[in-house]
Amino acid sequence: MNGGLKAVKILITGGTTFVSKYTAEYFAAKENEVTVLNRGSRSQVKGVAHINCDRTQLGSLLSGMHFDAVFDITAYTEEHVRTLVESGVTFDDYIFISSSAVYPETNPQPFTEEQHCGHNSVWGDYGMNKLRAEEYLKQNVPGAYILRPPYFYGKYENIYREGFIFDCAMLDRPFFIPGDGGMKLQFFNVHDLCRFMEILLEKHPEHHIFNVGNSAPVTVKEWVELCYQAAGKTPGFVSVDESVFQRDYFCFHDYEYVLDVSRQNEWMHETTPLERGLREEFEWYKANPDSVYYKKPYMEYIDKNL
């Protein structure tokens, strides 16, 4: 564990896809006693105990159990958090993976932890549900840590984002980019998330809400170039006019925002360089091309309409 932190007993919600799967694997590999809570619809990470249950129908299944830490990675609503907290389980630490979608897009940027939270018109109910889950925790588990990430990336990614760019690169396709590609994106590697959660368990900072992510955003163009570079290719770009709905041909909304992660950086001084993280993700994706469960038909749209 980080900095000599002793092995701990951890409950992880999820454990079979992307962030929760990586987290289960990461902490199990460090000889922690890891239990995952999921519906058993996919294979489990080696070395973990499995509780097969829908998290909204726990009943007394967890009653009397104690964990040093709960990593709540798959909670999207207040109900998800409430049913777990009120299940009879006890714990010393609770870390909730919330979202930067809790910040209204009208807030001054970069978004800081002290800012007002509320409805974001881009993220809609997703952001509000995460916010209601946060509010429940603040009221009922005041010692909980709340993390607000931008876009996650890395091993086990199951959303067609980097994979789309990698596929374009491997097919030697030109890349159809929104406008001049100047829109900014901010990322956070799943490995760095795990490192930061270790730090929280060891150091127990006074602050309990953290924006997390790389300090520096990148432009869409820079990100695509790095993805192609990871595949050993160089992209040619085709600019797409703003009159074309961006989500029809590109994997991010037409929405630019930046998080202030200086509070995180006080405790974790470095994050994985994006170039290295994308290269690692590409090598994994190349060996696991079916990891993305639904590949949106961006290429088909481009070929037919652009």
Side-chain angles (χ1 to χ4, degrees):
M1 295 288 287
N2 182 74
L5 182 66
K6 66 179 181 63
V8 292
K9 186 176 181 181
I10 303 169
L11 175 65
I12 296 175
T13 61
T16 60
T17 59
F18 194 24
V19 179
S20 63
K21 181 177 182 178
Y22 188 95
T23 303
E25 184 176 81
Y26 179 96
F27 282 92
K30 295 198 170 189
E31 300 184 351
N32 297 286
E33 185 179 339
V34 176
T35 299
V36 296
L37 172 64
N38 60 62
R39 292 171 293 185
S41 59
R42 299 184 177 94
S43 61
Q44 306 299 320
V45 167
K46 184 179 179 181
V48 304
H50 176 219
I51 298 175
N52 191 339
C53 186
D54 186 316
R55 65 175 298 158
T56 64
Q57 300 173 13
L58 287 170
S60 60
L61 192 60
L62 298 181
S63 183
M65 292 188 180
H66 178 81
F67 295 91
D68 297 307
V70 172
F71 297 159
D72 199 348
I73 296 173
T74 63
Y76 292 97
T77 67
E78 177 186 340
E79 179 191 17
H80 286 161
V81 174
R82 175 168 42 79
T83 53
L84 181 55
V85 170
E86 298 178 4
S87 67
V89 69
T90 59
F91 46 82
D92 297 328
D93 285 292
Y94 195 109
I95 300 177
F96 171 53
I97 308 304
S98 184
S99 170
S100 53
V102 301
Y103 295 114
E105 75 275 19
T106 52
N107 279 6
Q109 295 195 35
F111 298 150
T112 68
E113 293 91 344
E114 291 83 8
Q115 285 183 350
H116 163 75
C117 294
H119 183 262
N120 181 301
S121 65
V122 176
W123 299 113
D125 288 343
Y126 170 76
M128 289 305 298
N129 285 332
K130 283 284 192 179
L131 183 57
R132 293 185 185 105
E134 285 191 13
E135 293 302 322
Y136 174 87
L137 276 175
K138 290 177 187 177
Q139 294 171 16
N140 294 278
V141 190
Y145 286 100
I146 295 170
L147 306 185
R148 296 171 177 165
Y151 297 109
F152 281 120
Y153 80 105
K155 184 180 179 183
Y156 300 140
E157 168 73 85
N158 63 337
I159 302 173
Y160 200 39
R161 291 198 292 239
E162 289 80 34
F164 167 53
I165 318 302
F166 295 151
D167 283 345
C168 289
M170 288 187 287
L171 292 169
D172 289 314
R173 291 175 62 95
F175 196 81
F176 286 71
I177 197 166
D180 64 359
M183 187 181 82
K184 294 185 178 65
L185 299 169
Q186 192 172 16
F187 292 95
F188 196 41
N189 193 289
V190 285
H191 182 79
D192 293 329
L193 171 69
C194 293
R195 290 174 53 225
F196 191 64
M197 290 195 292
E198 283 182 318
I199 291 169
L200 294 180
L201 295 185
E202 181 185 12
K203 303 295 186 181
H204 288 101
E206 179 181 358
H207 289 113
H208 282 260
I209 299 177
F210 287 86
N211 291 338
V212 292
N214 293 351
S215 295
V218 293
T219 66
V220 166
K221 185 176 182 180
E222 291 169 335
W223 176 70
V224 171
E225 287 173 336
L226 287 174
C227 287
Y228 269 70
Q229 180 179 312
K233 303 294 179 66
T234 301
F237 289 105
V238 178
S239 177
V240 179
D241 187 85
E242 63 181 10
S243 63
V244 181
F245 182 57
Q246 185 164 303
R247 289 290 280 146
D248 283 340
Y249 68 93
F250 185 62
C251 47
F252 289 99
H253 290 284
D254 184 10
Y255 174 49
E256 175 182 288
Y257 71 94
V258 178
L259 298 173
D260 181 334
V261 295
S262 56
R263 183 179 289 181
Q264 165 204 279
N265 291 343
E266 292 175 8
W267 298 94
M268 187 170 72
H269 305 307
E270 296 180 353
T271 55
T272 302
L274 190 56
E275 178 180 359
R276 189 179 81 203
L278 288 172
R279 186 167 61 248
E280 292 170 352
E281 183 178 347
F282 171 74
E283 292 302 324
W284 172 79
Y285 180 77
K286 185 170 61 171
N288 299 273
D290 296 327
S291 59
V292 175
Y293 303 125
Y294 172 58
K295 293 190 175 184
K296 296 188 70 173
Y298 300 124
M299 293 185 198
E300 290 86 342
Y301 180 89
I302 289 168
D303 291 343
K304 291 179 181 179
N305 298 280
L306 301 178

